[in-house]
Amino acid sequence: MATQQFDNQLTIMRTDVNVDNTGVINTLHTDKILLTTLNSKYIHASLGLRYLYANLKDLQTCCEIKEFVIQTRPLDIVEQILASNPTIVGFGVYIWNIVETTNVVSLLKVIAPEVIVVLGGPEVSYESESQAIVQDSDYVLTGEADISFYELCRDIINNNAPDTKIMKSKPVDLKDLEMPYQYYSDEDLKNRLLYVEASRGCPFKCEFCLSSLDTKSNPYELTVFLQEMEVLYQRGARNFKFIDRTFNLDINTSIQIMQFFLDRMTDDLYLHFEVVPDHLPRKLKEMLAQFPANTLQFEIGIQTFNQEVQTNISRKQNNPKSKDNLIWLKENTSAHLHADLIFGLPGETFESFKDSFDQLYACQPHEIQMGILKRLKGSPIIRHTENFDLRFNPLPPFNILSTDRIDFATMQLVNRFARYWDMIGNSGRFKHTLTHLLTDKPFDDFMAITNWLFNATGQTHKINLKRLYELMSQSVEALFPEKHQDVLPKIEMDYTASQLKGAFSTLNLYAHEKKQTTSSGKLLQRQKQHMQ
């Protein structure tokens, strides 16, 4: 379907617009504005574009939103963009779409150089001049562009375009913003994640994060925000992903928002929050315990339990309280717990990271997301580059390649660990197997499995799920032979829960069994088809 290939399209076009001598725009002109971005998946709906659209004032009637996905060919995206015959195209640029968006902008400027390209978003807000995509564009708006995008478009349409290419947006007062939520379509409400925010900014200064540049967390007026949530809810929205960096910073506000949803509880309501791990007062705990299963997901940033590393990155975290709160949440609520660690932080060693993983695993979150440190443009982490010999990939996603404590080979090893852990640990497909298999040294145990899997397959992607169950059994037999017969029933339980076709007894469960060889004739299948 077109909507699946090119994502959601919100189309509100104006036919004719003109500008009188007061600068007010009237309805006798033909300029068109297109707002677009490349999402990582169809399920994501861009909140940023809808903020820009909501605050376009009199220009809103000549604006159109088109969202794409990064898997779509750049030529197809450019074709869709030009089908709208835009005068101005605004791109939202992020770390996950910078490569694809650069290709789209480059093509667009070759095919239709008269189209004015405006860039915005965190990936072009810092170190802008050196980026190829900036060189191909006409304007760049750094920072929060909710208002400045309207002002720039107004000036361009008024034939008063600025001479400056890169412009810093003025700070936004949230009370001056029009809310964007009415511009989620009915299709968005049914099929996509709805991103919402009750506040902007973060008071913490963790140097790996762009939010460390904020001075504080600024809340929206709560009554107005909840009114917007009520409208979304009445329209049928049931999946809300809060992007607040510190949702539980102001406990009174958090409780009011939680109570709002608790009063509207349905079987299909799902809420996602990012929470501070060491700030969980009794009143909030009592509220969280009331939510039924399959309703809450908490993203909990731990990053590291190493206090020296925490000091290096200006992170304040009460480690004992954080662990106590994680355990309490697991034992007393039905929330799905997604906890984050970051490998490669300045001062972190392989051994200290292993210790953080083991401590976090003991808290039993449902998922441990092992992130690799990335160099986000503008983040203060770069101040450590020389002292800790931080070497980052010059290409997106700008991941750390080595430090003074971790060489490149070790970094690659942990990258493989993270990938396999995501497939096996975080997927939930091996929950019975891992619980029975991992000891009080889970990092070492799973690292052994990581090395075995990579030696056996040479792959970290595109491993067939049925094959993955076979490989897990084979790895246990090879690495922990004394456990294999006890673990086999657990693997069978996990395999049965996966509802894959084929009996468990047909799987190749032993490392010494030979794999079936593929006929060499299969390699010539395509050629043979032409000869028939």
Side-chain angles (χ1 to χ4, degrees):
M1 294 176 61
T3 53
Q4 291 175 329
Q5 182 179 6
F6 297 113
D7 268 15
N8 188 59
Q9 297 182 14
L10 170 64
T11 308
I12 304 181
M13 303 285 292
R14 124 185 126 167
T15 55
D16 292 278
V17 177
N18 195 13
V19 183
D20 63 22
N21 57 13
T22 67
V24 175
I25 297 178
N26 302 312
T27 56
L28 286 174
H29 206 308
T30 56
D31 292 297
K32 296 178 183 177
I33 302 168
L34 179 68
L35 285 166
T36 189
T37 194
L38 280 65
N39 297 316
S40 59
K41 296 180 181 179
Y42 168 75
I43 194 173
H44 303 301
S46 173
L47 180 61
L49 293 189
R50 286 161 177 79
Y51 263 113
L52 295 174
Y53 182 86
N55 290 278
L56 271 175
K57 302 180 183 179
D58 45 326
L59 292 180
Q60 191 181 82
T61 53
C62 67
C63 183
E64 177 182 6
I65 288 179
K66 283 189 177 182
E67 297 177 77
F68 303 93
V69 290
I70 57 176
Q71 294 81 7
T72 306
R73 293 194 317 159
L75 274 173
D76 293 333
I77 294 175
V78 171
E79 181 182 12
Q80 288 287 307
I81 288 173
L82 293 179
S84 297
N85 194 28
T87 305
I88 303 168
V89 181
F91 287 89
V93 190
Y94 304 86
I95 193 171
W96 63 80
N97 70 14
I98 178 63
V99 172
E100 295 81 2
T101 308
T102 299
N103 293 337
V104 170
V105 170
S106 178
L107 278 171
L108 179 60
K109 276 301 189 179
V110 170
I111 298 167
E114 72 281 1
V115 173
I116 298 172
V117 171
V118 182
L119 307 178
E123 190 57 28
V124 293
S125 287
Y126 304 92
E127 304 173 28
S128 309
E129 296 86 351
S130 61
Q131 299 187 52
I133 191 173
V134 172
Q135 295 168 15
D136 285 337
S137 70
D138 296 284
Y139 297 101
V140 179
L141 295 174
T142 68
E144 296 173 293
D146 309 76
I147 303 298
S148 60
F149 181 72
Y150 162 72
E151 294 171 343
L152 175 59
C153 291
R154 179 197 61 197
D155 290 343
I156 292 171
I157 291 174
N158 282 357
N159 295 317
N160 190 29
D163 296 327
T164 304
K165 182 174 187 174
I166 301 173
M167 292 170 283
K168 184 176 181 179
S169 302
K170 296 178 182 178
V172 173
D173 192 328
L174 298 186
K175 72 176 186 301
D176 295 332
L177 288 183
E178 293 292 331
M179 292 289 207
Y181 302 110
Q182 62 179 302
Y183 303 113
Y184 281 126
S185 69
D186 291 342
E187 182 184 339
D188 295 333
L189 270 59
K190 291 179 182 177
N191 300 315
R192 308 174 82 187
L193 287 173
L194 300 188
Y195 293 92
V196 301
E197 58 177 0
S199 64
R200 281 190 186 181
C202 179
F204 301 110
K205 301 300 177 185
C206 307
E207 295 178 11
F208 56 83
C209 179
L210 277 177
S211 294
S212 63
L213 303 178
D214 299 330
T215 56
K216 60 180 179 178
S217 176
N218 298 306
Y220 285 89
E221 203 287 310
L222 186 58
T223 302
V224 174
F225 174 75
L226 291 180
Q227 287 173 348
E228 294 287 335
M229 296 303 98
E230 175 68 16
V231 172
L232 281 179
Y233 183 87
Q234 293 301 327
R235 289 180 59 199
R238 294 296 183 270
N239 198 325
F240 298 82
K241 184 167 184 177
F242 281 72
I243 62 173
D244 305 54
R245 306 301 296 176
T246 50
F247 176 75
N248 58 327
L249 185 65
D250 184 328
I251 296 302
N252 290 330
T253 297
S254 303
I255 288 176
Q256 290 184 68
I257 292 174
M258 301 300 281
Q259 186 65 57
F260 171 88
F261 286 108
L262 193 60
D263 292 342
R264 293 158 179 79
M265 184 55 57
T266 58
D267 291 341
D268 54 351
L269 184 65
Y270 191 76
L271 310 170
H272 175 108
F273 301 101
E274 185 170 339
V275 299
V276 182
D278 55 7
H279 188 52
L280 211 63
R282 179 183 57 81
K283 287 177 62 178
L284 184 57
K285 286 182 176 179
E286 292 173 353
M287 175 68 69
L288 299 179
Q290 298 179 53
F291 280 80
N294 303 317
T295 302
L296 297 178
Q297 172 163 303
F298 293 149
E299 185 173 343
I300 304 168
I302 297 297
Q303 320 312 357
T304 180
F305 284 123
N306 185 319
Q307 292 183 334
E308 178 184 346
V309 175
Q310 290 171 346
T311 299
N312 289 341
I313 60 173
S314 306
R315 182 174 178 83
K316 296 180 179 179
Q317 179 172 286
N318 185 320
N319 290 335
K321 185 174 288 187
S322 294
K323 288 187 283 188
D324 288 345
N325 285 339
L326 274 168
I327 294 169
W328 186 92
L329 286 168
K330 182 67 183 294
E331 294 178 348
N332 296 279
T333 77
S334 59
H336 183 274
L337 307 180
H338 175 114
D340 295 332
L341 290 175
I342 297 179
F343 185 64
L345 292 168
E348 191 84 82
T349 66
F350 181 81
E351 290 298 321
S352 68
F353 182 80
K354 178 171 71 173
D355 181 62
S356 288
F357 182 93
D358 289 348
Q359 291 186 57
L360 184 54
Y361 183 83
C363 299
Q364 289 296 294
H366 299 91
E367 296 183 42
I368 299 177
Q369 186 67 46
M370 290 180 54
I372 306 299
L373 178 65
K374 296 177 178 61
R375 182 187 179 276
L376 301 179
K377 292 181 177 63
S379 62
I381 198 76
I382 59 173
R383 75 183 182 92
H384 297 294
T385 298
E386 184 176 347
N387 288 342
F388 292 93
D389 193 19
L390 305 182
R391 302 190 185 189
F392 291 95
N393 190 339
L395 303 175
F398 312 113
N399 50 296
I400 190 77
L401 299 176
S402 66
T403 73
D404 64 334
R405 318 288 170 94
I406 302 166
D407 60 22
F408 176 68
T410 303
M411 195 70 70
Q412 289 292 91
L413 181 64
V414 175
N415 266 289
R416 289 194 287 272
F417 182 110
R419 175 57 187 159
Y420 288 135
W421 181 259
D422 206 42
M423 285 193 292
I424 296 168
N426 289 340
S427 67
R429 296 188 178 108
F430 294 86
K431 60 182 181 180
H432 297 102
T433 303
L434 287 182
T435 300
H436 195 78
L437 177 61
L438 300 184
T439 65
D440 58 350
K441 295 182 178 180
F443 188 93
D444 286 340
D445 295 335
F446 198 81
M447 182 57 78
I449 294 171
T450 290
N451 290 329
W452 190 94
L453 288 174
F454 191 70
N455 289 334
T457 68
Q459 295 176 261
T460 56
H461 292 76
K462 297 182 179 180
I463 298 177
N464 177 275
L465 182 54
K466 186 178 292 188
R467 175 72 176 138
L468 190 58
Y469 281 103
E470 293 180 332
L471 289 168
M472 275 298 292
S473 175
Q474 293 171 22
S475 70
V476 175
E477 185 209 16
L479 297 169
F480 315 103
E482 73 284 358
K483 292 184 177 182
H484 191 235
Q485 290 305 310
D486 291 335
V487 169
L488 269 178
K490 309 301 180 182
I491 299 177
E492 183 173 9
M493 289 174 64
D494 289 327
Y495 179 82
T496 302
S498 73
Q499 298 183 332
L500 288 169
K501 293 181 180 179
F504 182 72
S505 59
T506 65
L507 299 186
N508 182 358
L509 301 171
Y510 296 88
H512 64 272
E513 292 183 9
K514 294 182 180 179
K515 303 176 185 177
Q516 293 182 349
T517 58
T518 302
S519 170
S520 60
K522 189 175 181 180
L523 300 175
L524 300 175
Q525 182 177 2
R526 181 174 178 179
Q527 289 84 342
K528 288 180 179 180
Q529 286 175 341
H530 286 282
M531 300 299 294
Q532 291 175 353

